[in-house]
Amino acid sequence: MSQRLRVNPIMCAGHGMCAELLPELITLDPWGYPIIARGPVPDELTPMASRAAAACPTLALLIVEEEGR
Amino acid sequence: MTLLAPRPVHPGRAQGHLPRLLAGLADGSRAGLHLHEATFGPLPLPAEPASAAARRAASRLIDVVERSGLTGRGGAGFPTGRKLRSVAAGHGPAVVVANGCEGEPASRKDRLLLSRAPHLVLDGVALAAFAVGASQAYVAVHAGEERLAAGLEAAVQAREVAGIDPVPVRIVRVEPRYVASEQTAIVQRINDGPGLPTFTPPRTHERGVGGRPTAVNNVETLAHLALIARYGNSWFRQAGVPSAPGTALVTVSGSVARPGVYEIELGTPAGEVLMIAGGPTERPQAILVGGYFGTWLPAEAAWPAPLSHPGLRSVGAAMGAGIIVALPESSCGLAETARVVRYLADESAGQCGPCAFGLPALADALADLAYHGGRGDAAERISRLIRLIEGRGACRHPDGATQLAGSALAAFGDDARWHGRRGPCHGVQRPPVLPVPGDVEYW
Ligand SMILES: Cc1cc2nc3c(=O)[nH]c(=O)nc-3n(C[C@H](O)[C@H](O)[C@H](O)COP(=O)(O)O)c2cc1C
Ligand code: SF4
Ligand code: SF4
């Protein structure tokens, strides 16, 4: 099992909170919406990823569990 | 655009067993239930739909569809058998939705099929409903196209009187805008929502109309299904190529002598299809394949390209909903693209930031290049925006627009450099080739 970050772009209001909490994996585009780094969340970042997901005001940042790598 | 019945007109190729979908129809006529059954025979459904034998027959029907190699004709080319199988495997009674909206402005095939051979589509709806164990079916069309909707309602009624359909069929009218015919949007509309695309998961085949497993199929796909159920998978594969069996309806427009809808064997080279449509009226510089989510190919590259999902993938294009537009030498491909991308930007549901802000920015950059020369860096700005927008919407609307824009940069690269050095070419003043609903000024 590995974890991956996904944004629900309909829910996302572009607050940018997630990019502040997890700059290693999330940057913002010119309009303030998050761009997620490709690939699975590295193990050492999973606690911060969970915090970022919980901190999103619209619950638009999702952590998806997936099989394999 | 005129609607032509597909005819075997090109002498170089044996298309004698075509047309399939519009068989038995004289030019311009419409098949009522009688003529339909006289042409194709009765709907092959077991009399006792609830019996164990019928359930086995339903599973066999899905086997046949899988073996036929039928893929969706609504754009993505997903294997229809696999879709039906996953809906059938879902919990509880399912729902079937026939997508007859045909939101692509340069497409006419679904309207042609629905208006001239409605019973073939409705047979497909009945068979799909039987295959997946549905208790309700819908046919979605654009609101405001009342003749089409009324014709379908009359056809459904005639079938009710004759006791043909295993499930009730309702005609639903969805808002006539580009993104409203995306499958999750139609499902949301039927569920009394605003009719805009939704985030997935849940996927439509798992949780769609009323939360039930839902099969959304293009109306042409369902018409093929009606023939496969009657004549079998081997018959279906007698047309087309092994990697893309069967026939497809294509809408040909632009600078050709006889624009219209033609039924072709999958794998037919694009150039041959243009010849079937009467041949070019002016030397084409490029061909748009697949529609407004499609790809510009330089004419020399497009001419031999086989029209099929795998064939077009090998040249970096996609079949889409079977749209082919020949762009004459005297037109400007950059201006055409700028207009269409502006239209697509205006059609965004405005729900997702990268689509709501990215597509207008992309349209601005394209218009800058086409009409003002691009200030030296428009091509790089366009490429950067494409990378920024791609894959970041809830639906594939923005990806369609970036595909079109990216292919324009590749196919019209010389023109872009010309615009950069000397300003817009004469072509920007030519009347538009690609239709855009509303015909607004787009720059
Ligand atoms: C923005 C957008 C618009 C679409 N419009 C249509 C349409 O007008 N008609 C259609 O059949 N499919 C349309 N589709 C594709 C549908 O979502 C769906 O995939 C299709 O109806 C499935 O049928 P098929 O498997 O038979 O192709 C659209 C997709 C997108 C992303
Ligand atoms: S915190 Fe949530 S709403 Fe804000 S940008 Fe990130 S995902 Fe979007
Ligand atoms: S990507 Fe665009 S069209 Fe699709 S749901 Fe989001 S805003 Fe709407």
Side-chain angles (χ1 to χ4, degrees):
Chain A
M1 286 293 250
S2 68
Q3 292 187 339
R4 203 175 280 267
L5 282 171
R6 238 194 116 186
V7 178
N8 175 338
I10 296 180
M11 300 284 282
C12 172
H15 291 103
M17 187 97 74
C18 52
E20 244 164 72
L21 287 171
L22 195 59
E24 298 88 343
L25 297 180
I26 304 177
T27 53
L28 297 180
D29 70 15
W31 311 286
Y33 293 89
I35 302 173
I36 312 284
R38 278 176 209 284
V41 178
D43 287 342
E44 66 277 14
L45 288 177
T46 50
M48 271 324 278
S50 305
R51 271 191 56 194
C56 170
T58 59
L59 301 181
L61 187 65
L62 310 170
I63 295 178
V64 195
E65 303 277 349
E66 37 171 52
E67 299 289 327
R69 58 149 280 125
Chain B
M1 191 184 312
T2 45
L3 300 182
L4 300 178
R7 263 177 268 163
V9 283
H10 188 63
R13 194 183 175 92
Q15 305 245 4
H17 49 294
L18 298 190
R20 285 178 164 185
L21 296 174
L22 298 179
L25 277 175
D27 257 12
S29 69
R30 167 194 174 87
L33 192 49
H34 266 328
L35 176 58
H36 167 72
E37 291 194 334
T39 307
F40 298 110
L43 178 65
L45 272 187
E48 282 290 331
S51 66
R55 276 198 302 278
R56 281 196 301 279
S59 161
R60 267 202 312 278
L61 175 57
I62 296 180
D63 289 342
V64 171
V65 177
E66 276 191 329
R67 279 202 295 272
S68 76
L70 175 64
T71 55
R73 302 290 197 249
F78 190 82
T80 306
R82 209 192 305 162
K83 184 186 291 188
L84 295 178
R85 177 140 350 257
S86 61
V87 173
H91 292 294
V95 175
V96 167
V97 179
N99 192 347
C101 298
E102 198 168 34
E104 280 278 356
S107 184
R108 284 293 175 278
K109 66 167 183 100
D110 293 339
R111 285 175 183 84
L112 179 74
L113 200 54
L114 287 172
S115 58
R116 311 234 347 240
H119 290 287
L120 199 60
V121 174
L122 292 171
D123 278 359
V125 171
L127 287 157
F130 169 70
V132 302
S135 56
Q136 173 73 49
Y138 300 86
V139 181
V141 294
H142 271 177
E145 296 181 18
E146 256 329 291
R147 264 227 336 239
L148 192 73
L152 278 171
E153 271 159 355
V156 168
Q157 227 162 49
R159 297 165 73 91
E160 259 168 38
V161 171
I164 291 177
D165 288 325
V167 303
V169 179
R170 222 183 82 203
I171 311 303
V172 289
R173 291 153 173 85
V174 312
E175 227 198 306
R177 53 185 292 184
Y178 200 93
V179 299
S181 48
E182 190 273 340
Q183 57 182 348
T184 63
I186 296 180
V187 165
Q188 198 201 46
R189 174 75 195 79
I190 298 174
N191 288 338
D192 286 329
L196 299 175
T198 60
F199 183 70
T200 52
R203 293 187 181 283
T204 306
H205 66 82
E206 289 160 351
R207 201 133 52 83
V209 174
R212 299 200 268 144
T214 301
V216 182
N217 296 101
N218 172 260
V219 290
E220 184 197 336
T221 311
L222 292 166
H224 287 292
L225 173 61
L227 297 183
I228 291 167
R230 286 177 164 93
Y231 311 135
N233 50 293
S234 312
W235 168 84
F236 186 71
R237 285 178 170 276
Q238 280 165 22
V241 290
S243 62
T247 63
L249 296 177
V250 294
T251 312
V252 189
S253 64
S255 53
V256 291
R258 289 197 301 273
V261 176
Y262 295 88
E263 184 170 6
I264 61 151
E265 297 196 44
L266 284 175
T268 307
E272 202 172 312
V273 174
L274 292 175
M275 295 313 289
I276 292 174
T281 51
E282 184 186 329
R283 215 180 90 81
Q285 53 168 316
I287 314 291
L288 176 67
V289 290
Y292 291 1
F293 284 3
T295 311
W296 287 111
L297 292 174
E300 316 80 68
W303 210 261
L307 289 183
S308 70
H309 284 283
L312 288 172
R313 233 180 345 260
S314 70
V315 293
M319 181 79 186
I323 293 146
I324 300 159
V325 187
L327 184 73
E329 197 77 80
S330 58
S331 288
C332 174
L334 295 170
E336 293 288 338
T337 307
R339 282 175 62 253
V340 168
V341 172
R342 177 72 70 201
Y343 160 71
L344 293 174
D346 288 351
E347 288 292 298
S348 161
Q351 304 187 105
C352 311
C355 181
F357 294 98
L359 291 191
L362 183 62
D364 287 346
L366 280 161
D368 188 20
L369 178 61
Y371 303 112
H372 307 289
R375 291 175 285 150
D377 68 338
E380 291 95 275
R381 277 185 282 137
I382 292 165
S383 303
R384 223 174 20 247
L385 282 166
I386 289 172
R387 286 194 302 273
L388 203 55
I389 296 166
E390 240 166 20
R392 293 182 57 221
C395 77
R396 302 198 44 85
H397 183 67
D399 302 354
T402 55
Q403 165 73 20
L404 182 72
S407 75
L409 283 188
F412 308 120
D414 289 345
D415 299 349
R417 280 181 288 279
W418 166 282
H419 281 229
R421 274 201 311 273
R422 314 250 180 110
C425 61
H426 292 305
V428 301
Q429 280 145 26
R430 302 272 308 167
V433 173
L434 300 179
V436 161
D439 241 351
V440 206
E441 291 250 2
Y442 278 94
W443 52 88

